[in-house]
Amino acid sequence: MDPSANLFRESTTSSSVVNVSAEDADNPEWARFLSRIPPGNAQKRMFHIDEIIKNQNNFVNDLKALLNTYYTPLASTGILPDEQVRYKFLWDVFGPIHDIIEVGDRMLLDMMGMQTLVVETLQGQPHGDDILLGIAESIRIGEVFLQNVQDFGSFTFYAESNQEAKDIVLAEMRRNELFRAFIELRLTSLSSKLQKQMQRSRSVSLVDHLTSIIKRFSDYKLNLESVLKRTPTGTQDHDDVEKAIAEIARIAKEMNEVTKLKGDQRKLKYMHGTITPDENLRALNLLDPTRRHIYETTPIEYVKRSGRTHQIELHLLDNYLVMLLKSGTDNPDEGDVLSPTGAAGAGADLGAAAGRSRSRFLKTIYKKPIHIDNIKVYLHKPARGELTHTQTQDNLSFYVRDFGSVEADGLHGSSQTIHQFRHTIPITRENWQKKIEQLQTSRAAACPLANNLMMEPGSGSRASDVVSVSVAGDRLLVAKTHGIYLGLAKSAQMKTYLMESPVLALPESEDISQIDVIERWDLLLVLAGQALYSYSLSAVLNKDQQKWGQRRIAKPVSFFRIGVCDEKLLICAVGNTGLRWQMKLFDPNPAVASKKGFFGSKSLEMHLHKDIFIPTPVTSIDFLKLRVVIGTCRGFEMVHMKLVGADGNAPLLDGTDLALKAKGVLGREDLTPQAMFRTREEMFLLCFQDEGFYVNKNGRLAVGHPEFKWRNLKPTKFVYFAPYIVAISEHLVDVFDTLTGALVQSIIAENVRVMHVLPERDIMYVTDTSGIRMICLKK
């Protein structure tokens, strides 16, 4: 019987059954066995396994030498006199070294157990080639790793804290003479191999040795991959080694991510300390522990519209693209020298001339950080009309278009800013495009809102033709200037097409500007010209013109809103009568409608719930429990549904609030209120075109809560999808977290217009140059 057949049928890698120690690793019988294996894959495989065992033996011995030479004396003497400081130092520098030694020792004992069993099997047995090959093939190194890999998590500590440990050791050597003398003295007690390693940099020798722990981990994967190449497929050890490599690769990926994150935090902390403080630096939030530094090339040339170039640093963060200039250099915009505060001016010129242009900050942010969601990168000159006439095209440049910034152009009026960068290495320009696009893809997957194209321009929904959108059941209703079109089945949830002919057509004299649906009362509301009409929704959908039941609700009407107030579903129609504005509130419930006409020609007329005249133009309508909130140039005003006269109308903001007075909001006649949202209990977010802030139920400023500047884009529409406030400007849909005020997402949507909002479902439909899109909160 082949003595190797059942050699490792049962698990033999447990250290509890093999009484060996690290000092017994040199085994001459094992070496003799290796030398007598016939040449070929089996012998090469065993040489790789032997290398793993020897490396593991050296690793464990080095760790124990490190423990005895450094850790134990530091823990038991007065070199670090303060007990609390001592134990913190030991953990920050050495980490879970006892756990690493335990895992390493256990693995070594398991490997040496294999050696012992091989030697015992060969004793008293013939040593033919078949026997030797059988024994070699039955050794399962993969099992050893699988039984221990679950404890490899300790390696992650050293990947994360390596640089921090170096800083701690250096700092302690500078301030503690005893510690410095101890480190230098201990060098002589190490092995000659370690002495050579540490003499290259005596001040960090201790941490350099700790770094070898990370290298040991990476060697595991390389050595096992060499074993795998020589292990026959279909064997148990082949499967075990594959699984061990995959698990080590997973842990290595985690270690790389942790190391990268730590490195990013160090770099960002350094940048924060060297950049002139201003509003741009605050927007970057470099000290946020989640912030990431993705890519950089320094220096790089920035090409001005005049053709003048200037060297800058270009940094890609996880949320912004940032350009940095060295303080004291010429400002490429004005030709001045940047002053210590980062601004250029006459004072800066004088300081530079006197040779005194000095700043405690090394760098300043050039222009404004560009949000990563607002970028398009071109390796060649953008299409005609996208690049200003004064910018140049060359084979060394790449271009970044910023949809969040508009600049004046004497030829074209104004357009999105195009930044031109020049670098002599082609792969660098390609890397910038690749890095930015990869980051944008990953951000889109993690961002809170989904952006789905529902109808392309070629499907009868050319964006410029669409004036309004609504939803009836699972279908979209799309209004164009003189007709309303119905989408195919499920067009409200998925990409589809419009029916070719309109379900409702109006005369050319009446241009449609807004539609909406109240399915509960089978109503289709259409604002055409300056008149608001109602139709039977079911009759329109069925193209039954005789049953349309067209009724004019109000005139003149500029826009209307539907909402719930005073426990009623109401239609709020707002219009300009010429002398003043008028707001009418209608109850569409047929049960309260009044009859109008004579005898047989009587028809139902929608009940007028409230009629109010307003002296200034109305920009927004919002609904509270018992009040309708009107936005005018004087701010937000409330209309009570039950009270009348002076008691029924009141400003939303408290005119005695000192905090609001300090903001300069009270008493202004040029405000542009856009929307108001109840974002949390007893708290309201007021959205103006130039800013947003919270007030409490008494109309007083909620101090300490986030305030919003909307990136100075002056949005014209706001939507609330808890906990996010969505600000829509001309080319962008910005998403802010209402709890922190942070910009979490920005969607490029050229010439975007909001067509319809379903707040109860966190969905809105918009049009841009690509067609009709559905933007919704991811579930």
Side-chain angles (χ1 to χ4, degrees), residues 547-581:
K547 297 183 179 180
W548 277 0
Q550 183 194 52
R551 289 182 293 168
R552 194 175 80 177
I553 300 174
K555 185 177 182 180
V557 177
S558 300
F559 69 93
F560 68 91
R561 285 285 307 275
I562 301 173
V564 176
C565 185
D566 193 19
E567 299 182 349
K568 298 178 180 67
L569 182 67
L570 299 176
I571 302 169
C572 181
V574 178
N576 184 2
T577 65
L579 297 177
R580 52 188 174 175
W581 284 64

Side-chain angles (χ1 to χ4, degrees), residues 444-506:
C447 283
L449 296 193
N451 177 21
N452 304 310
L453 181 61
M454 307 299 288
M455 293 183 183
E456 295 177 324
S459 60
S461 60
R462 195 171 67 181
S464 59
D465 293 341
V466 177
V467 296
S468 187
V469 171
S470 190
V471 176
D474 65 350
R475 294 184 168 194
L476 281 184
L477 278 174
V478 177
K480 300 183 180 181
T481 308
H482 300 295
I484 298 175
Y485 296 77
L486 183 63
L488 300 180
K490 298 184 180 179
S491 57
Q493 293 88 31
M494 58 186 292
K495 187 176 179 180
T496 183
Y497 299 90
L498 291 178
M499 297 175 66
E500 292 185 1
S501 58
V503 293
L504 176 66
L506 293 182

